[in-house]
Amino acid sequence: MNDVIDARGLMCPLPVLRLGKALRGVPQGEIVHIWADDPIAVIDIPNFCREAGHELLAQSDAGDHQTYTIKRGADRA
């Protein structure tokens, strides 16, 4: 997946909800990118990845937003 989920301008919980929806739509091991400017996303997105079994590969500050690279993990029962 080369597309970026642009969640800029969205507040909690919408960035995580959009990320979850995108991850459900791709196979295990696929890479998903998301941009977010919600200050809480720096806490929410890593927590979501950890709890849902996805791997947060990268997280960085791009000035007016943060960028995240996530590898989809296995489905959890």
Side-chain angles (χ1 to χ4, degrees):
M1 177 176 193
N2 293 326
D3 294 333
V4 173
I5 302 161
D6 189 352
R8 293 177 294 179
L10 301 178
M11 294 294 124
C12 180
L14 293 176
V16 167
L17 293 175
R18 293 252 174 113
L19 175 60
K21 182 178 180 180
L23 287 167
R24 285 188 300 276
V26 299
Q28 181 179 348
E30 191 74 32
I31 304 296
V32 173
H33 305 276
I34 183 169
W35 296 344
D37 58 3
D38 178 6
I40 302 301
V42 298
I43 297 167
D44 285 349
I45 290 176
N47 283 341
F48 166 76
C49 291
R50 185 172 39 260
E51 291 175 8
H54 306 300
E55 184 179 354
L56 180 61
L57 299 175
Q59 176 178 348
S60 63
D61 188 357
D64 64 342
H65 66 280
Q66 303 87 39
T67 64
Y68 304 87
T69 303
I70 296 105
K71 182 177 180 182
R72 188 193 191 287
D75 289 328
R76 290 201 173 168

